[in-house]
């Protein structure tokens, strides 16, 4: 009976976090973007398997409540990097070391360059057909020795797309479907692979293909890229506000507990 009004108003019942946010923050990479790119590039070039989760407040909040994401973020098979200044600040508030943010778009750009120079193979999954095909075309023109395959992110069965990826055995797999769907998809299939660097890269293909412009340098430099994205796409504001306010609340709780304990 009590679910009636909730369902009618379209609201979800409130779910309490079952794990403190700092349990995840402890696992986030504390070094520089350049250092992390070096590690990921080495894994890619030496045929290791690595899953990189670019963690933003949204994915961390999901992980506090949902078992599969929690397991993923705490698992040894995933490297977690801070995708956003709020994650870096949260780490510092909890007394953890943190240098700077490591964004999906930077990682994607640098690893594509390394893969191109080393004539490795990449698979791009996600974004609209015209976006991902434009990016694939651009990469093939720039790095003729690199193998580039792709699939857009609006096919009905994205698990079937992973069957193609498994057959291609690429050195680098970029999945651009938005978080946390892209992380869940990678996690479902990771076991099937013996090698490859897998990264969920959000809206990066839109930027790297040239169909959306990245924030001007001043926003990137001052860590206010989030503001630029909201100004360009005001529909992002609600989601941003909800996730960041909740995130800050959880971080403050964890920071207080860390000071007391
Ligand atoms: N996307 C997709 N399939 C879907 C939904 C989204 O391929 O079913 C793509 C979309 O085209 C965009 C990306 O996923 O390129 C998500 O970008 P967004 O900036 O929203 O992700 P964020 O970086 O905020 O996680």
């Amino acid at each position: 009976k009590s679910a009636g009004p909730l369902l009618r108003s379209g609201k979800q019942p409130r779910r309490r976090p079952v794990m403190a946010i700092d349990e995840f923050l402890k696992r986030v990479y504390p070094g520089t973007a350049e250092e992390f790119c070096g590690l990921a590039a080495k894994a890619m070039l030496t045929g290791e398997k690595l899953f990189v989760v670019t963690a933003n407040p949204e994915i961390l909040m999901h992980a506090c409540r949902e078992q599969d994401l929690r397991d993923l973020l705490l698992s040894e098979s995933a490297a977690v990097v801070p995708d956003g200044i709020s994650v870096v600040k949260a780490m510092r508030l909890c007394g953890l070391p943190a240098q700077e943010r490591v964004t999906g778009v930077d990682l994607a750009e640098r690893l594509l360059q390394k893969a191109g120079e080393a004539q490795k193979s990449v698979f791009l999954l996600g974004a609209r057909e015209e976006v991902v095909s434009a990016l694939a075309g651009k990469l093939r023109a720039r790095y003729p020795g690199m193998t580039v395959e792709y699939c857009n992110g609006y096919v009905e069965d994205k698990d079937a797309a992973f069957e193609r990826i498994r057959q291609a055995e690429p050195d680098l797999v970029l999945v651009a479907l938005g978080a946390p769907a892209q992380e869940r998809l990678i996690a479902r299939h990771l076991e099937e692979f013996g090698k490859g660097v897998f990264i969920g890269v959000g809206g990066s293909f839109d930027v790297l293909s040239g169909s959306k412009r990245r924030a001007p340098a001043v926003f990137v430099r001052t860590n206010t890229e989030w503001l630029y994205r909201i100004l360009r796409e005001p529909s992002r504001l609600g989601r941003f506000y909800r996730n960041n306010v909740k995130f800050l609340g959880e971080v403050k709780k964890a920071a207080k507990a860390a000071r007391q304990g």
Side-chain angles (χ1 to χ4, degrees), residues 120-135:
K120 293 287 177 182
S121 56
V122 307
F123 200 106
L124 313 170
L125 169 61
R128 285 181 289 115
E129 175 65 25
E130 60 272 29
V131 168
V132 67
S133 63
L135 177 58

Side-chain angles (χ1 to χ4, degrees), residues 54-258:
T54 65
N56 58 14
E58 186 169 10
I59 197 165
L60 290 168
M61 291 309 297
H62 278 287
C64 282
R65 294 172 169 81
E66 290 153 40
Q67 178 86 43
D68 61 337
L69 285 171
R70 179 159 63 246
D71 292 348
L72 172 61
L73 284 178
L74 298 177
S75 91
E76 284 303 314
S77 63
V80 186
V81 296
D83 184 5
I85 192 63
S86 50
V87 179
V88 171
K89 291 203 165 149
M91 291 164 76
R92 291 183 188 148
L93 265 174
C94 292
L96 299 163
Q99 288 274 349
E100 60 179 357
R101 65 201 179 109
V102 183
T103 65
V105 65
D106 281 333
L107 261 178
E109 191 167 27
R110 293 194 211 195
L111 289 177
L112 284 169
Q113 186 192 341
K114 297 266 186 209
E117 287 164 1
Q119 308 203 336
K120 293 287 177 182
S121 56
V122 307
F123 200 106
L124 313 170
L125 169 61
R128 285 181 289 115
E129 175 65 25
E130 60 272 29
V131 168
V132 67
S133 63
L135 177 58
K138 216 167 149 177
L139 291 169
R140 285 175 185 146
R142 193 176 303 158
Y143 307 109
M146 173 161 79
T147 310
V148 185
E149 288 187 67
Y150 68 89
C151 174
N152 77 63
Y154 293 89
V155 288
E156 206 156 297
D157 188 354
K158 295 178 185 87
D159 292 284
F162 249 86
E163 179 52 32
R164 272 184 63 199
I165 302 179
R166 207 178 55 73
Q167 279 167 15
E169 283 198 300
D171 302 294
L172 177 64
V173 180
L174 301 179
V175 183
L177 299 169
Q182 58 199 16
E183 282 75 21
R184 286 202 160 104
L185 183 66
I186 296 173
R188 275 206 297 280
H189 294 279
L190 201 62
E191 281 281 294
E192 299 155 15
F193 291 83
K195 66 157 193 179
V197 173
F198 297 77
I199 318 179
V201 292
S204 303
F205 294 175
D206 299 292
V207 173
L208 296 176
S209 66
S211 33
K212 253 191 212 172
R213 109 165 246 229
R214 190 173 181 186
V218 60
F219 286 89
V220 176
R221 209 174 45 243
T222 55
N223 290 318
T224 49
E225 208 168 346
W226 55 272
L227 178 63
Y228 175 83
R229 294 181 88 185
I230 290 171
L231 292 173
R232 290 289 294 241
E233 294 170 63
S235 59
R236 286 182 177 274
L237 183 61
R239 188 173 130 197
F240 176 87
Y241 180 79
R242 277 191 304 280
N243 286 314
N244 279 269
V245 168
K246 279 191 207 157
F247 179 64
L248 189 64
E250 290 302 317
V251 171
K252 280 187 174 161
K253 249 194 277 171
K256 193 171 162 201

